[in-house]
Amino acid sequence: MKMDYNIVLIGFMGAGKTTVSEYLRDTYGMDVVEMDQVIAEREGMTISDIFSVHGEEYFRNLETNLLKELQSRKNTVISCGGGAVLREENVVEMKKNGCVVLLTVTPETVYERVKDSDGRPILKGRKNINDIMELMEKRKGKYEAAADVMVATDGMTIQDICEEMMKKLMEHRTDVI
């Protein structure tokens, strides 16, 4: 199966974007672009260091530029950082050649998935369920407004998540080859 467009994964950190990307790569032979990873490699520093050295605005500019660069791709899974949808321009770029899939998750699941990770600058000093819930609530409207389709990931296997996502994508887009 080849797609004439890209799948753009959005969602809060810990929603499963990386895991879903890897599954789609392995199962459907799609290319994968992990935006945070590409940005970190190009800048030669971690996302946390980019935030502390250059600030969030600088990082968001890098995201926007990378999204523009990816417009020429097809059949690619683009896994966005958790805050990519906060900038309206990014959402416009995502939709130009992509179907935006929102992976949803509960604050409790996010906490379980990220509690042992130090690579989440937005959660620095806020790694508890209440703070995660507060941040999720602030972003919820942006996520939902950007999404073409939504898939809940709590308590589902990666295969079930991807099967549901592909079914919803086929209902939403008809240009699957």
Side-chain angles (χ1 to χ4, degrees):
M1 177 168 67
K2 291 261 184 229
M3 295 188 174
D4 203 27
Y5 60 93
N6 299 317
I7 296 175
V8 183
L9 297 177
I10 62 170
F12 201 76
M13 62 192 87
K17 296 181 297 286
T18 299
T19 308
V20 167
S21 296
E22 290 167 355
Y23 184 89
L24 293 174
R25 179 194 62 218
D26 297 344
T27 306
Y28 298 105
M30 298 180 77
D31 292 331
V32 171
V33 175
E34 282 282 346
M35 286 187 57
D36 283 357
Q37 189 180 331
V38 170
I39 290 169
E41 285 169 8
R42 288 180 178 180
E43 293 295 302
M45 57 176 81
T46 66
I47 300 301
S48 295
D49 287 345
I50 294 169
F51 266 70
S52 59
V53 173
H54 299 291
E56 184 173 358
E57 182 72 11
Y58 177 86
F59 175 75
R60 299 291 171 214
N61 289 336
L62 295 173
E63 280 183 323
T64 303
N65 292 336
L66 182 53
L67 282 166
K68 287 177 180 174
E69 191 183 311
L70 294 171
Q71 292 312 321
S72 60
R73 305 280 294 265
K74 288 181 181 172
N75 204 46
T76 300
V77 182
I78 300 168
S79 179
C80 298
V85 298
L86 300 178
R87 185 181 273 191
E88 212 52 50
E89 184 184 2
N90 287 354
V91 176
V92 170
E93 293 302 324
M94 290 173 192
K95 289 181 177 281
K96 280 185 181 170
N97 190 31
C99 193
V100 180
V101 177
L102 170 60
L103 300 179
T104 64
V105 65
T106 64
E108 293 78 8
T109 301
V110 170
Y111 176 75
E112 283 305 313
R113 292 178 181 171
V114 305
K115 66 182 179 189
D116 299 323
S117 162
D118 290 327
R120 315 275 185 172
I122 291 293
L123 284 186
K124 199 168 189 168
R126 304 172 68 184
K127 218 181 280 180
N128 62 69
I129 291 173
N130 284 339
D131 284 347
I132 290 169
M133 188 168 23
E134 192 179 301
L135 192 53
M136 287 176 88
E137 276 304 311
K138 280 185 194 166
R139 293 181 174 185
K140 185 178 180 185
K142 295 263 190 197
Y143 284 139
E144 291 178 356
D148 293 311
V149 299
M150 291 195 275
V151 178
T153 65
D154 291 290
M156 290 177 64
T157 67
I158 187 61
Q159 183 177 350
D160 289 342
I161 292 166
C162 290
E163 284 174 6
E164 182 178 338
M165 182 182 72
M166 296 310 266
K167 185 175 142 250
K168 288 182 175 185
L169 284 172
M170 302 233 183
E171 290 166 2
H172 182 77
R173 300 277 304 238
T174 55
D175 46 358
V176 178
I177 302 166

